[in-house]
Each structure stands twice: as C-alpha cells, then as structure tokens.
Amino acid sequence: MPDITNPAISDYVLAHSSASDPLLRELAIETNRAFPDAAGMQISHDEGELLTMLVQLVGATRAVEVGVFTGYSSLCIARGLAPGGSLLACDVSEEWTSIARRYWDRAGVAERINLRIAPAIETLRALPTSEDIDFAFVDADKTGYPAYYEELVTRLRPGGLIVLDNVLRGGRVIDPTATGEADLAIREINDRVVADPRVSVVMLPVRDGVTLIRKS
C-alpha cells in the first residue's frame, strides 16, 4: 500500500503548523483513551487548523458538518465562523457526541453548534433547498459520500466550499484489488466531483486526502 504520509514528513508538517491549544490536545487525549479502536477517525491538528482557516477564508456564517465523532473538527469549524455564524453538526452517536458537547461548552462555542442526532442524509434532505450554505465538511460513513455531496452541493451558495475527508482511503483508491463498498464509494465520489460542471475541485494529499470543492 502506498505510504501517503512518511512519519518523518508528518512530524515536520506538524512542527511547522500552528500548534493546537491545550483544549484540543486534551480532547485528542481523551478520545484516544475513551475510544482506542475508533480514535483514528479523529482528524489531526494540522487538518483542524486547515478547517479553521478555510472557514475564515470563505467568511462562513452557515456551516454543515457530516460526521462529528468527539467534536474536534466541529470545534475547529465553529472557531472559524464569522460573528453570528452557526454550525449544523450531524451524527448518529450520543456516546461519541457527549464528549463533543463538553468540549464545545469549555471552548465557548456550544451556542454556535446545532447537533442533530439522526441519519445525516435525513437531516440534509430536510433542509431548505435555498443556496445558503457557506461551508460543509464531510467525514462520515464513506458509502454515504455520494448522497451527502449531492444534497450539500445543491444547497451551497456560489463561492461556497465543501471539504471531503479520506478521499485517498489509505491509497486504496489506486489499488484495483480494493473493492470494498467504502472504497468503491470514494472512487465514485472522486470521479463525480471532478466531472461536475457546477464546481471547481482540488484534491490535496493532506493526511488521508482532502478534496476542496468550490461552487461556481
């Protein structure tokens, strides 16, 4: 399998990105302790810094997140929102998001975050169809990406941004023997977005692959 992030390069990247604050470090430690088998779902701190910066660059006031886990990415997105901004955070786990809620409170961003515990596709389909979403981050079940994307892109304002995580699947996107449902879904969405005339796209080799999708 291809080595996407050499450990030495990873360490160098982290050392040359703005450091995470003590609260984010504490959240990462608690997540690893509480859910050691699932902790790999948590984004790294450099990706968190990237999310905050992207939200700020877009000037987002209305954001959506699909896949909350223990709230690291939500916290980073909420911190980047313009004054009066809000984040709709979608997840299905009360257990995971109970940790998220505590850290959102401690970070002073809880009032900006509306957590919906329900299948994300149902939450997205229930949203108004107006193009008023400024920013969306998708880091959830990979088989759901094609459906999540379509619901989000139709509601994204011109100039708005969708960020898809894990688009390289640990290198499995270029491995013809990788035929799991998640691998096939990620290949499908990767091919779909780059051919979508509504958007411009750049895939970045950040961690497990991040695709930035800007609506024209």
Side-chain angles (χ1 to χ4, degrees):
M1 196 65 65
D3 182 9
I4 296 170
T5 306
N6 179 286
I9 295 295
S10 176
D11 290 344
Y12 187 85
V13 167
L14 292 173
H16 291 83
S17 299
S18 297
S20 58
D21 60 38
L23 187 65
L24 285 171
R25 291 196 294 271
E26 185 179 335
L27 172 54
I29 290 169
E30 181 171 345
T31 299
N32 277 278
R33 184 175 63 245
F35 307 112
D37 294 334
M41 294 194 298
Q42 184 170 250
I43 65 169
S44 59
H45 94 71
D46 55 327
E47 189 173 349
E49 290 293 320
L50 175 63
L51 289 177
T52 301
M53 187 177 292
L54 291 172
V55 172
Q56 292 170 332
L57 290 171
V58 170
T61 58
R62 186 163 186 229
V64 177
E65 179 182 43
V66 180
V68 174
F69 192 37
T70 58
Y72 194 110
S73 52
S74 310
L75 203 164
C76 294
I77 293 168
R79 282 178 166 173
L81 291 170
S86 64
L87 169 63
L88 173 62
C90 307
D91 207 283
V92 293
S93 173
E94 290 279 7
E95 182 182 18
W96 290 342
T97 57
S98 65
I99 292 179
R101 288 180 187 273
R102 284 196 285 107
Y103 281 87
W104 297 340
D105 283 333
R106 291 176 59 191
V109 300
E111 292 185 356
R112 304 178 201 172
I113 302 175
N114 177 12
L115 177 63
R116 301 279 182 88
I117 300 296
I121 194 63
E122 296 178 5
T123 299
L124 297 179
R125 286 173 176 164
L127 294 176
T129 57
S130 53
E131 295 179 312
D132 60 0
I133 294 174
D134 301 304
F135 181 89
F137 179 55
V138 181
D139 184 16
D141 58 297
K142 308 314 168 194
T143 57
Y145 273 36
Y148 300 147
Y149 171 72
E150 193 57 39
E151 296 301 326
L152 288 166
V153 74
T154 59
R155 294 168 171 84
L156 194 69
R157 68 160 171 85
L161 193 67
I162 297 174
V163 179
L164 303 181
D165 201 14
N166 303 118
V167 294
L168 294 179
R169 291 285 296 160
R172 289 190 292 280
V173 287
I174 60 170
D175 180 358
T177 68
T179 57
E181 289 186 16
D183 302 317
L184 296 176
I186 292 299
R187 288 198 197 102
E188 176 189 343
I189 193 61
N190 289 345
D191 291 342
R192 181 188 297 187
V193 299
V194 77
D196 190 341
R198 297 171 293 181
V199 299
S200 54
V201 180
V202 60
M203 181 182 287
L204 304 175
V206 175
R207 297 301 163 183
D208 191 29
V210 173
T211 294
L212 309 184
I213 304 163
R214 183 182 183 273
K215 191 168 184 179
S216 301

